[in-house]
Amino acid sequence: MSTEPSSDRIVVKAVDNGPYQIKGPIRLVDHENNSYELGPGRTTLLCRCGMSAKKPFCDGSHARNGFNATERST
Ligand code: FES
């Protein structure tokens, strides 16, 4: 199976010991209904460690706090 995505698909990648990497196009709406547009081919990082001060976005806190997430699906 190819790991290269079609250009019209949203791609979500779990980064080892880090955030979710999202490749657009998407519209992200946070818990306060703030909307963020991410154009085709643009990439952003969403926090999955829970420590970011800029949620839903990653601010690098995972690296400073030793977040560990390398589990694999089986
Ligand atoms: S994953 Fe980067 S700050 Fe949470």
Side-chain angles (χ1 to χ4, degrees), residues 8-73:
D8 62 341
R9 291 201 176 163
I10 299 165
V11 177
V12 180
K13 177 181 178 182
V15 177
D16 279 353
N17 303 319
Y20 290 113
Q21 181 185 65
I22 313 294
K23 186 173 181 182
I26 64 164
R27 174 183 295 159
L28 174 68
V29 180
D30 71 12
H31 65 289
E32 294 179 332
N33 285 326
N34 297 305
S35 182
Y36 306 90
E37 298 288 337
L38 187 64
R42 299 291 308 270
T43 300
T44 195
L45 302 172
L46 298 182
C47 179
R48 76 173 166 139
C49 75
M51 294 180 266
S52 175
K54 296 177 15 181
K55 291 184 195 85
F57 300 102
C58 171
D59 70 354
S61 292
H62 63 273
R64 292 187 292 277
N65 291 287
F67 178 60
N68 185 333
T70 57
E71 299 85 1
R72 300 290 188 257
S73 300

